[in-house]
Amino acid sequence: MRITVLGGGPGGYSAAFEAARSGAQVTLVERERLGGTCLNWGCIPTKTILRSARIVADTRHAEEFGLHAEVASVDVERLRERKEGVVDELVGQVESSAKRLKVEVVYGTGRMVGPKTIEVETSEGTRTIESDAVVLATGSAIFKLPSIDHDMDGVWTSDDAVALREIPKDIVIIGGGVIGLEFACVYAAFGSKVVVVELMEQVLPGNDKRVVKMTQSKLEEMGVEFHLGDAVETVERVGDRMRATLRGGAVLEADIVMSAVGRMPNSAGFGYSEAGVEMDRAAVKVDEYFRTNVPGVYAIGDLIGGMMLAHVAEDEGVAAARNAVAELSGEEPTETVCHDCIPACVYTFPEVAVVGSSRDSAKERGIDVVQAVAKFAANGKALGEGESDGFVQLVAEKGTGRIVGCQIVGPHAVEIIHEVALAMHHDLSVADIAHAVHAHPTVSEVIKFAAVDAASKCGL
């Protein structure tokens, strides 16, 4: 059986590798570098930069730890070299995996020219690839506000911010979501004056109020200024400075204006509609098994909308590959993905991690819940590390104690959230977590404390 995957990001290469492990002959088509946005321009480079920003922030508080240290200064060139080195290492590992699994990688711009036919414009000419099944994994693209000239000198997107050409003296960031806040954290730590403009009345729209309040408060302590419930009407260059005029009348001047208003499915120009694939605006429509309306054609990741996260795309890629192999073998597809159990993370200082529902969203779904909150201020490890701000908030179904969701703001939040995600995946209760022995001292004990309280409220 021959399977072609269009797009070499986390979802695409995960699908390709899983199909190859299952015995399929696999071709992976990628326009630029394996790893996609996440590895080359998103998750990995931003987290590498955030690590450097964290060191700068820590040196500002050295005296609180009984240390004398100068505040670290930024060497932009060396910081950029380190970031690119990390990215290159990981891209190389993905390339090595492709070779080991005998996945043929074709570099070029691919598009559908038939239900199971991909045409690729390569440096050596046009190549046509016929397959038994196709997995579409072309990811997402930066959403650009039509009111802003993104070609104007001084206007950035996240790609420009991660390129690390300079550390601006001041920067206006349009968008208070995950991307905007992570870069606000970076540039504030590096010494920039940062202003965030968010159309909604809160940062991190859609998140729990307690999460939002603490995240914004900690960023304000870093010097970040917020304009909420407002929008940038115009952006213009005046001399060597940028001027952003807000709907509410405020005028902001800065070296850089960065647009961080999110991403959209990357479907334009790939021939999907022409090949008969049903769309939902820019997203490709799929069923629970990631099948499109065209037999033998699957789609995954950011391209299908929903949770636009690399780890979601990876899981969907594996599921789609298994389903494709099953159907080509004459079997029924069985692989689905439980999106309710997938964590979402924000790498600000402190970190934010959430999974499942908040108390309010659970109630909106008609679930009778209890909520328990445990704070890092009572945790020995967090106090010792000087990171005692934050909390763990567990939401459980009243009576049964079934875990409905969890929100964490605090040290190592993005690491410890998986205990709750695993418990939700296996339909465990707060009592199960409460009865599990947690090593001491660890910040994960705060999850146990919240679980003990939640179990009590549930009468367990």
Side-chain angles (χ1 to χ4, degrees):
M1 65 184 77
R2 184 174 182 86
I3 296 176
T4 296
V5 180
L6 182 58
Y13 70 69
S14 294
F17 294 172
E18 182 62 25
R21 291 189 192 98
S22 301
Q25 184 181 352
V26 182
T27 301
L28 177 58
V29 179
E30 169 54 40
R31 182 169 52 193
E32 297 182 66
R33 300 179 82 195
L34 292 183
T37 295
C38 173
L39 205 163
N40 292 283
W41 305 282
C43 323
I44 302 304
T46 56
K47 304 317 168 272
T48 305
I49 297 167
L50 276 158
R51 177 68 179 107
S52 297
R54 183 68 185 213
I55 293 173
V56 175
D58 284 346
T59 59
R60 286 200 174 96
H61 301 283
E63 288 190 5
E64 297 173 15
F65 293 83
L67 304 172
H68 296 292
E70 292 184 8
V71 175
S73 58
V74 181
D75 183 328
V76 176
E77 184 175 347
R78 292 191 66 181
L79 181 55
R80 185 172 59 250
E81 287 175 355
R82 179 176 183 271
K83 179 261 298 184
E84 291 173 354
V86 170
V87 170
D88 289 344
E89 168 66 24
L90 290 171
V91 170
Q93 291 181 20
V94 176
E95 291 171 342
S96 295
S97 294
K99 290 179 182 177
R100 177 173 53 83
L101 293 167
K102 295 181 173 55
V103 171
E104 181 190 15
V105 180
V106 177
Y107 290 99
T109 301
R111 67 186 306 273
M112 292 187 75
V113 293
K116 298 175 188 176
T117 306
I118 302 295
E119 187 177 87
V120 188
E121 294 295 331
T122 74
S123 59
E124 299 175 350
T126 303
R127 177 176 170 182
T128 301
I129 304 171
E130 300 278 356
S131 307
D132 299 309
V134 172
V135 179
L136 307 178
T138 48
S140 61
I142 293 170
F143 179 77
K144 295 183 178 181
L145 291 168
S147 59
I148 296 176
D149 179 4
H150 285 79
D151 294 325
M152 189 189 310
D153 188 27
V155 174
W156 282 4
T157 64
S158 57
D159 285 355
D160 299 301
V162 84
L164 285 175
R165 293 194 300 266
E166 61 179 300
I167 306 300
K169 182 169 66 69
D170 35 29
I171 180 171
V172 173
I173 298 177
I174 306 171
V178 175
I179 297 171
L181 293 195
E182 288 187 357
F183 279 110
C185 197
V186 163
Y187 285 104
F190 286 163
S192 303
K193 170 60 182 174
V194 181
V195 179
V196 174
V197 182
E198 168 54 48
L199 180 64
M200 306 299 287
E201 294 293 337
Q202 66 172 58
V203 298
L204 299 178
N207 274 274
D208 175 79
K209 294 176 183 177
R210 183 181 272 113
V211 170
V212 168
K213 182 178 180 181
M214 173 154 281
T215 302
Q216 180 177 336
S217 174
K218 298 306 293 184
L219 282 168
E220 286 173 337
E221 287 180 18
M222 294 179 69
V224 179
E225 177 186 327
F226 290 92
H227 290 258
L228 303 177
D230 210 339
V232 173
E233 292 275 275
T234 61
V235 174
E236 56 187 329
R237 189 163 186 86
V238 181
D240 60 354
R241 299 275 284 170
M242 302 302 295
R243 178 179 295 165
T245 302
L246 307 191
R247 182 183 298 167
V251 177
L252 307 174
E253 293 195 356
D255 287 339
I256 297 294
V257 172
M258 175 185 171
S259 177
V261 292
R263 302 182 66 85
M264 60 184 291
N266 185 28
S267 58
F270 290 100
Y272 297 152
S273 294
E274 294 85 343
V277 175
E278 188 176 357
M279 309 290 293
D280 181 6
R281 292 182 293 182
V284 171
K285 290 187 70 172
V286 295
D287 65 10
E288 61 182 316
Y289 302 112
F290 306 102
R291 298 179 296 190
T292 69
N293 63 302
V294 178
V297 179
Y298 304 76
I300 60 163
D302 291 5
L303 180 62
I304 65 174
M307 297 178 75
M308 290 189 174
L309 301 169
H311 49 283
V312 175
E314 288 177 354
D315 214 27
E316 292 175 348
V318 170
R322 290 176 177 172
N323 289 332
V325 169
E327 290 201 292
L328 291 175
S329 302
E331 301 172 4
E332 289 296 314
T334 58
E335 297 289 329
T336 60
V337 173
C338 176
H339 293 92
D340 289 342
C341 304
I342 297 177
C345 302
V346 189
Y347 296 77
T348 45
F349 309 155
E351 295 174 342
V352 178
V354 301
V355 63
S357 301
S358 66
R359 177 171 59 183
D360 290 344
S361 61
K363 287 181 177 179
E364 289 173 4
R365 293 165 55 196
I367 304 173
D368 191 9
V369 296
V370 301
Q371 178 173 283
V373 180
K375 297 184 177 181
F376 286 99
N379 179 264
K381 182 71 158 35
L383 284 165
E385 292 189 357
E387 297 184 64
S388 58
D389 292 319
F391 57 87
V392 171
Q393 186 170 266
L394 269 177
V395 182
E397 186 177 49
K398 194 171 184 179
T400 68
R402 179 178 63 89
I403 301 169
V404 176
C406 179
Q407 300 82 43
I408 306 176
V409 180
H412 311 296
V414 302
E415 310 293 345
I416 64 175
I417 189 69
H418 299 99
E419 175 180 5
V420 181
L422 182 64
M424 291 177 64
H425 184 76
H426 290 283
D427 207 25
L428 302 181
S429 73
V430 285
D432 292 313
I433 291 181
H435 295 154
V437 177
H438 290 60
H440 175 78
T442 61
V443 293
S444 63
E445 289 176 281
V446 183
I447 293 178
K448 179 183 176 72
F449 298 153
V452 170
D453 186 18
S456 175
K457 290 180 177 178
C458 289
L460 301 176

